[in-house]
Amino acid sequence: MEANNDPASSPRATKSSNKRKLDDLDQGDEDFEELVHTTFRRCVGDEHGEQPNYEDASKLFEKSLELQSPGQPPGPLLQASAMIVVIVLFRNLSDRNRSNTPDTLEKNIQLLTRIVGLDPPGSPGRDLTLHCLAICFGDRYRCSDSLDDLQERIRLLTEVLELRPRDHQLRATTLEDLAGALRIRYGHSSSADDLSKRLQLLTEALELCPPGNPDRASSLHNLASALSDRYDRSGSADDLEEQLQLLSEALKFDHQEIRIVQKL
C-alpha cells in the first residue's frame, strides 16, 4: 500500500484547513450551517472529530447571531451555536486550573448573559447555561468578596435545581453547589433559614449517592459539616450523634482509598 504523502491529509493540515474555513466562510453560505451542526454533533459526542476551542465557538455564535432574523425567536442555527459555546465553556470551567483573571470572568459572564437572554425558560440546555453562569459568579465572588456575586450565584443555582429533576445526572452536583453557596452566605449572616435549606439540600444529595457511589464520601463529610453548624447553634445531642455516624461511615471510605493507594 502506498504511503499517503498528501500534506493536506495530516492532522495539522486538517486543523489549519478548518481554521481557514471558519475565518473565511461566507455567512450566507449553506456550508456555514453544516459547519455549525457538525461542530455541535461533535460537542455532544454524536460524531467524532476535533473539538472547538473557546475562540472558534465564539466566532460561530457571533456569525449565527448576525444571520438571525431580527425580532424572531432563536432559530436552530443560533440555538446550536449557543450550545456549542456553553458546552465548551462548561468543559473549561470544570478544569480546576482554569484562568480566573478579571478579564476572562467578565468576558464569560457577558457572553453567557447574552445566551441566557436568547434562551427562553423551558428551552433545552438552559440549565447548563445557567450552571456555567453560576460558576462564573462564584469565581468572581472568590476574587471580589462581593456579596452581590454570591447572591447571584445562589439565585442561578436555585433556578438550575428547579430545571433538573431527581433523575438528572447533575442534580446531586447542583445540590452540593447550592449548599456550598449557602454555607458561605451563612458565614456572613448566620441565617437559620440558610442552614436549614443547606441541610435539606445535602440530605437529598446524600440520598442520590448510595453506598458504592464514588461521591458518597464527600457527601457524608458535607452533611456532617452542616450538622456541626446546627449543633453549634442548638447544642442538640441528636445532631452530634448523627454527625458522628456520618463521619464514621466517611472514615471507612477514607481508609479504603488509603489501602488502594498503598497497593499501587
Side-chain angles (χ1 to χ4, degrees), residues 1-215:
M1 180 180 293
E2 286 187 18
N4 186 353
N5 296 319
D6 181 2
S9 65
S10 69
R12 181 177 298 178
T14 301
K15 184 175 182 179
S16 299
S17 176
N18 289 342
K19 283 285 187 183
R20 287 196 298 273
K21 186 176 182 183
L22 180 61
D23 292 337
D24 303 334
L25 195 60
D26 183 346
Q27 294 176 16
D29 199 310
E30 290 182 359
D31 287 345
F32 177 67
E33 293 190 27
E34 178 59 28
L35 177 61
V36 170
H37 291 301
T38 297
T39 305
F40 176 77
R41 290 193 296 271
R42 290 176 178 177
C43 283
V44 298
D46 290 342
E47 184 174 312
H48 294 294
E50 183 184 355
Q51 294 293 319
N53 58 31
Y54 179 83
E55 181 183 357
D56 291 344
S58 298
K59 286 181 179 179
L60 291 176
F61 175 70
E62 294 296 340
K63 291 184 179 182
S64 299
L65 196 59
E66 291 181 16
L67 288 173
Q68 172 69 23
S69 300
Q72 296 297 316
L77 186 67
L78 183 56
Q79 289 177 333
S81 65
M83 281 309 304
I84 291 169
V85 171
V86 172
I87 292 169
V88 170
L89 263 180
F90 185 72
R91 289 172 180 164
N92 292 347
L93 294 170
S94 299
D95 182 357
R96 292 186 177 182
N97 297 319
R98 62 183 178 270
S99 172
N100 283 331
T101 65
D103 288 345
T104 300
L105 287 172
E106 289 305 317
K107 183 187 298 184
N108 290 345
I109 288 173
Q110 289 177 12
L111 182 55
L112 288 167
T113 300
R114 290 172 67 193
I115 293 175
V116 169
L118 297 170
D119 210 11
S123 60
R126 182 177 173 85
D127 65 308
L128 190 60
T129 307
L130 294 173
H131 194 165
C132 286
L133 195 52
I135 293 173
C136 290
F137 274 104
D139 286 346
R140 196 167 76 174
Y141 167 76
R142 280 185 282 275
C143 294
S144 67
D145 281 334
S146 168
L147 287 179
D148 288 340
D149 287 339
L150 178 61
Q151 298 281 37
E152 184 63 8
R153 174 170 169 80
I154 291 171
R155 185 191 70 80
L156 289 165
L157 287 172
T158 299
E159 184 174 349
V160 172
L161 189 61
E162 292 173 353
L163 295 172
R164 291 176 172 170
R166 190 173 175 84
D167 60 351
H168 194 285
Q169 62 178 349
L170 291 177
R171 183 171 177 86
T173 299
T174 312
L175 289 162
E176 296 277 4
D177 287 352
L178 180 53
L182 290 173
R183 176 185 59 78
I184 296 172
R185 191 168 72 178
Y186 176 77
H188 289 282
S189 67
S190 298
S191 166
D193 289 340
D194 281 349
L195 179 56
S196 177
K197 182 65 175 178
R198 179 179 155 210
L199 282 160
Q200 176 187 340
L201 295 169
L202 292 173
T203 298
E204 183 184 345
L206 183 59
E207 292 171 356
L208 294 175
C209 296
N213 188 298
D215 295 324

